[in-house]
């Protein structure tokens, strides 16, 4: 409305203010704004906090978003808003604020309208003077800046992050916001700091270990700050989603490599431990991702295990104990930093393997019990997500076409195949063609296991089982090769493949589906890569010194293909503007 006190507040949020006294004026004003620009309709009588308006009008993740008295849409919902405004202008005077009527029409037409949870924040359009005074008093009683700072922190996080990082990192996030820094810049700073920490660890000197431990903690503080800055200033972006989703793993696994290089300088070869730690962490994450996707939209959750879990979560101390024992990222990085500074890389990896193994067993056992004791119908979407996470390639596709009758117990069948290839790789001498035969059988078995929709109670275990079979086979062959450079090359190969698997997860989480199937075919699928590396070992048995070169070439090829496609996707306009708010990883 002309002369509204809201004008300055809306300008502070980046809007150009155009007055509209009637519904017809609103429709006319909207017609003057290009269709690719965000627009907002705000009632001139609106009373509320600026942060309530910020949540409704500036969040880039939603095509349409509203609170009482305010509606904002992006280009994806502009056509729906224009139609609603035209109908509102031609209809008799309606009840309630115009933005609320428009939001109802937009939603009724099939465009979802997000309504943020305001908590103690106020957003109202008072009808009387008394109501206005009451709303103004409610606004004055709540410090919206304090609310904005508090809600910048994840509602669910680990003990170390919640009590030792977030109490001050939120203020760092506000400092960054006031100086125009973006979450992507902070994320990049966190990565650079972690890489410098890895470089310090690679020196193998005590000063380097101490410096690397300190820098790793600084990197983690920045890692928390980037997400808090995104929530504080609502700067969610497609690039930010990609950086935040992948840099955590890149930082941690680079640090593992730095520790292994530092240990090697002192005559201690811990590359097998470093690769084992990366394998364990990746498989653990795939368990988390697969279970969540399998149950994303499952119905009829009647699991008594889930009821027990909810009961434990109702008591404060059990919540923190259960979060700590799974060794989430905060606790894990703190442990790595402290042990790096005061002990040796070998001890760091021993502690990491024991702690993460216990956490993985604890979470996996609980999820298996939930799956076995619940009565749920899983959807086609969940089955497709599991099939995408399985990462089956052209060999599996051929087996599926040739399979006359899909397996009724795919998990047991796949577990037998995985055990066969892993056992052969560990037991048989390097270069044995028996391992190649086991790899061929694994391809047959794994393809047959995914021939039917993955809707069984425990079918979500197939993707992590395939990951474990592939990664451990690579580890075993590198160990049995017993030549310089084999384990570092295997580390690089597993890192490249793991990146592809994480990229697949975050695309599915963003609602855009898995990477294009040509990419999976090009890099062979998990069964194709296993067969290929066993053939490479057999062919190079007499020249084992060439095995690291072949593995490195495969790692470079996989890394180039998946990185180019991943970067193309995440910087494209079709990528989702998401920010990961999942379980503390």
């Amino acid at each position: 409305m002309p002369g509204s006190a809201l004008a300055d507040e809306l300008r502070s949020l980046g809007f150009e203010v155009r007055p509209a006294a009637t519904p017809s004026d609103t429709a006319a004003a909207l017609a003057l704004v290009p269709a690719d620009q965000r627009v907002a309709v705000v009632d001139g009588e609106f009373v509320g906090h600026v942060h309530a308006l910020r949540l409704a009008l500036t969040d880039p993740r939603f095509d349409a978003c509203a609170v009482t008295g305010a509606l904002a849409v992006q280009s994806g919902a502009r056509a729906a808003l224009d139609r609603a405004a035209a109908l509102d202008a031609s209809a008799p005077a309606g009840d309630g604020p115009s933005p609320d009527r428009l939001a109802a029409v937009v939603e009724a037409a099939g465009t979802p309208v997000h309504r943020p949870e305001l908590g103690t924040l106020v957003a109202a359009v008072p009808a009387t003077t008394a109501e206005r005074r009451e709303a103004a008093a409610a606004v004055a009683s709540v410090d919206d800046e304090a609310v904005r700072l508090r809600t910048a922190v994840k509602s669910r996080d680990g003990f170390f992050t919640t009590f030792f990082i977030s109490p001050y990192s939120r203020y760092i996030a506000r400092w960054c916001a006031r100086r125009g820094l973006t979450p992507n810049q902070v994320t990049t700073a966190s990565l650079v700091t972690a890489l410098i920490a890895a470089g310090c660890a690679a020196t193998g000197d005590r000063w380097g270990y101490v410096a690397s431990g300190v820098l790793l903690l600084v990197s983690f503080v920045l890692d928390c700050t980037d997400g808090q800055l995104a929530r504080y200033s609502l700067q969610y972006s497609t690039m930010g989603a990609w950086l935040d989703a992948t840099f955590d793993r890149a930082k941690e696994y680079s640090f593992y490599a730095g520790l292994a290089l530092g240990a090697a300088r002192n005559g201690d070869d811990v590359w097998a431990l470093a690769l084992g730690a990366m394998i364990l962490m990746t498989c653990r994450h795939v368990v988390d991702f697969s279970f969540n996707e399998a149950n994303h939209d499952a119905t009829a959750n009647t699991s008594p295990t889930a009821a027990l879990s909810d009961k434990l979560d109702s008591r404060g101390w059990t919540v923190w104990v259960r979060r700590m024992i799974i060794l989430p990222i905060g606790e894990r990085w703190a442990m790595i930093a402290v042990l790096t500074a005061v002990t040796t890389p070998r001890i760091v990896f021993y502690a990491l393997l024991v702690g993460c193994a216990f956490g993985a067993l604890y979470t996996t056992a609980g999820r298996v019990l939930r799956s076995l004791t619940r009565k749920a119908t899983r959807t086609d979407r969940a089955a497709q997500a599991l099939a995408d996470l399985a990462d089956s390639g052209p060999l599996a596709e051929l087996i599926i076409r040739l399979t006359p009758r899909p397996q009724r117990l795919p998990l047991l069948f796949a577990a037998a195949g995985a055990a066969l290839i892993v056992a052969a790789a560990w037991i048989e001498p390097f270069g044995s063609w028996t391992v190649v035969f086991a790899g061929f059988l694994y391809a047959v078995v794994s393809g047959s296991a995914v021939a039917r929709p993955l809707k069984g109670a425990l079918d979500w275990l197939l993707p992590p089982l395939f990951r474990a079979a592939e990664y451990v086979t690579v580890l075993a062959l590198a160990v049995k090769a017993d030549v310089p450079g084999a384990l570092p090359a295997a580390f690089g190969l597993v890192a490249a493949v793991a990146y592809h698997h994480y990229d697949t997860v975050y695309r599915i989480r963003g609602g855009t589906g898995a990477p294009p199937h040509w990419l999976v075919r090009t890099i062979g699928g998990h069964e194709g890569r296993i067969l290929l590396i066993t053939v490479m070992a057999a062919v190079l048995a007499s020249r084992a010194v060439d095995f690291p070169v072949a593995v490195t070439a495969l790692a470079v090829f996989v890394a180039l293909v998946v990185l180019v496609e991943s970067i193309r996707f995440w910087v494209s306009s079709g990528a989702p503007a998401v920010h990961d708010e999942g379980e503390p990883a």
Side-chain angles (χ1 to χ4, degrees):
M1 295 292 291
S4 170
L6 286 170
D8 290 339
E9 294 179 354
L10 293 172
R11 291 190 184 99
S12 73
L13 297 178
F15 287 95
E16 176 187 346
V17 178
R18 300 184 182 182
T22 66
S24 296
D25 291 342
T26 300
L30 288 173
L32 297 176
V33 182
D36 61 342
Q37 294 185 12
R38 175 191 298 271
V39 294
V41 181
V42 183
D43 194 288
E45 299 299 317
F46 176 89
V47 176
H49 290 98
V50 176
H51 192 49
L53 285 174
R54 182 181 291 107
L55 291 172
L57 306 185
T58 66
D59 195 325
R61 296 172 297 175
F62 308 103
D63 283 338
C65 194
V67 294
T68 300
L71 166 69
V73 301
Q74 298 192 80
S75 57
R78 272 298 302 278
L81 175 61
D82 291 344
R83 288 193 297 268
L87 289 173
D88 194 49
S90 61
D95 295 330
S98 175
D100 294 0
R101 298 197 304 270
L102 294 176
V105 174
V106 167
E107 196 161 34
T111 300
V113 177
H114 174 71
R115 291 176 170 80
E117 294 184 12
L118 298 182
T120 57
L121 296 176
V122 177
V125 180
T128 65
T129 302
E131 289 178 355
R132 174 169 290 277
R133 283 198 298 267
E134 182 179 347
V139 170
S141 67
V142 175
D143 183 352
D144 74 335
E145 178 60 20
V147 173
R148 188 181 178 190
L149 269 175
R150 185 176 67 250
T151 55
V153 178
K154 271 186 179 181
S155 59
R156 174 181 172 81
D157 224 327
F159 180 86
F160 179 77
T161 305
T162 299
F163 293 103
F164 292 91
I165 304 297
S166 293
Y168 59 87
S169 62
R170 68 184 75 181
Y171 296 101
I172 300 175
R174 182 171 66 181
W175 182 89
C176 293
R178 291 178 175 177
R179 281 152 184 82
L181 297 176
T182 67
N184 292 352
Q185 292 171 332
V186 178
T187 302
T188 303
S190 176
L191 175 66
V192 172
T193 304
L195 293 178
I196 295 174
C200 290
T203 64
D205 297 325
R206 178 51 53 192
W207 72 264
Y209 290 148
V210 173
S212 67
V214 173
L215 288 172
L216 189 64
L217 288 177
V218 173
S219 175
F220 182 65
V221 171
L222 293 174
D223 181 60
C224 295
T225 300
D226 67 356
Q228 291 165 0
L229 174 58
R231 287 182 287 274
Y232 180 84
S233 56
L234 298 182
Q235 295 184 73
Y236 302 102
S237 67
T238 56
M239 179 65 76
W242 175 57
L243 296 179
D244 189 67
T246 57
F247 276 14
D248 279 353
R249 304 289 80 79
K251 289 180 287 189
E252 187 167 359
Y253 298 159
S254 296
F255 195 80
Y256 292 175
L259 286 174
L261 288 170
R265 286 180 176 271
N266 294 313
D268 188 13
D269 187 354
V270 297
W271 275 107
L273 296 177
L275 180 51
M278 182 167 65
I279 291 172
L280 179 58
M281 284 306 308
T282 305
C283 291
R284 171 183 163 181
H285 287 144
V286 176
V287 167
D288 297 341
F289 298 143
S290 295
F291 178 80
N292 291 336
E293 288 303 322
N295 296 282
H296 181 270
D297 46 10
T299 58
N301 183 2
T302 57
S303 167
T305 309
L308 176 61
S309 178
D310 293 339
K311 184 177 180 180
L312 291 174
D313 279 344
S314 66
R315 303 188 180 189
W317 68 272
T318 60
V319 172
W320 295 117
V321 169
R322 296 176 71 207
R323 291 187 190 179
M324 291 174 66
I325 62 176
I326 65 173
L327 208 63
I329 188 170
E331 280 76 357
R332 189 167 68 251
W333 281 30
M335 182 188 75
I336 294 172
V338 172
L339 291 180
T340 297
V342 301
T343 64
T344 65
R346 182 172 290 273
I347 293 176
V348 173
F349 284 123
Y350 283 153
L352 192 61
L353 287 167
V354 171
C356 291
F358 177 81
L361 288 173
Y362 171 79
T363 55
T364 304
R367 287 165 178 171
V368 168
L369 286 174
R370 287 191 185 200
S371 300
L372 291 175
T373 57
R374 74 187 300 173
K375 297 178 180 179
T377 300
R378 291 181 173 84
T379 63
D380 292 338
R381 176 200 174 280
Q384 183 59 52
L386 291 180
D388 292 334
L389 290 173
D391 194 35
S392 300
L395 284 177
E397 293 177 353
L398 177 62
I399 298 302
I400 291 172
R401 287 195 294 269
L402 297 177
T403 300
R405 182 177 300 174
Q407 292 295 322
R408 291 186 174 274
L409 298 173
L411 180 60
L412 293 179
F413 204 59
L420 176 65
I421 181 60
V422 169
W426 280 110
I427 295 172
E428 291 294 315
F430 180 77
S432 170
W433 285 94
T434 302
V435 183
V436 177
F437 180 67
F440 174 76
L441 289 180
Y442 172 79
V444 173
V445 167
S446 60
S448 179
V450 296
R452 66 167 57 202
L454 301 179
K455 295 185 178 182
L458 295 178
D459 284 354
W460 57 269
L461 284 171
L462 282 170
L465 181 66
F466 293 154
R467 299 297 80 77
E470 179 180 1
Y471 299 161
V472 175
T473 298
V474 173
L475 170 61
L477 292 175
V479 170
K480 298 301 284 282
D482 195 25
V483 293
L487 280 166
F491 189 95
L493 175 59
V494 172
V497 175
Y499 175 85
H500 163 62
H501 292 144
Y502 282 115
D503 186 53
T504 300
V505 165
Y506 286 104
R507 292 198 198 201
I508 293 173
R509 279 188 171 185
T512 57
H517 206 61
W518 68 259
L519 174 66
V520 179
R521 289 195 180 109
T522 301
I523 60 176
H526 68 96
E527 79 290 349
R529 289 188 296 272
I530 282 183
L531 185 57
L532 175 60
I533 198 168
T534 59
V535 170
M536 287 164 51
V539 171
L540 298 173
S542 60
R543 302 189 308 277
V545 70
D546 293 334
F547 183 67
V549 178
V551 174
T552 301
L554 178 59
V556 170
F557 171 76
V558 172
L560 284 176
V561 173
V562 299
L563 277 173
V564 169
E565 163 56 22
S566 178
I567 293 171
R568 181 210 63 78
F569 170 77
W570 286 106
V571 301
S572 71
S573 60
V578 298
H579 197 80
D580 180 35
E581 296 291 347
E583 300 291 319

